Amino acid sequence: MAEYELLVANRWGQLVFRTQDPNEVWNGKYRQKMAQAGVYGYWVRYRFSYVGEPKLVKGEFVLLR
């Protein structure tokens, strides 16, 4: 993959996770503690080759405990 970025933010817009490694996943923790249950937003920006514009996928999910 030519380009990749995953961002996860809490309901107040505070960034709780960021990676540029497509093999790395968020484990539900923030600052070494379990993140609070609630609604989180995510943004994934990717591009498979160096030709063309990157794609952006965004949405929300609910973290349950």
Side-chain angles (χ1 to χ4, degrees):
M1 186 170 298
E3 188 176 329
Y4 175 84
E5 183 175 38
L6 167 63
L7 305 169
V8 177
N10 63 19
R11 71 178 81 187
W12 299 281
Q14 181 180 28
L15 191 64
V16 297
F17 180 76
R18 178 178 184 257
T19 185
Q20 293 180 324
D21 181 354
N23 297 311
E24 186 177 8
V25 297
W26 183 45
N27 63 4
K29 292 184 178 183
Y30 176 61
R31 294 187 178 173
Q32 307 302 325
K33 295 181 182 177
M34 296 300 248
Q36 291 183 341
V39 177
Y40 289 79
Y42 69 88
W43 298 263
V44 180
R45 187 173 51 91
Y46 67 93
R47 182 168 42 177
F48 288 110
S49 70
Y50 292 104
V51 178
E53 294 295 316
K55 306 289 186 204
L56 177 66
V57 178
K58 59 184 177 176
E60 297 176 340
F61 65 92
V62 178
L63 179 64
L64 301 174
R65 295 275 178 217

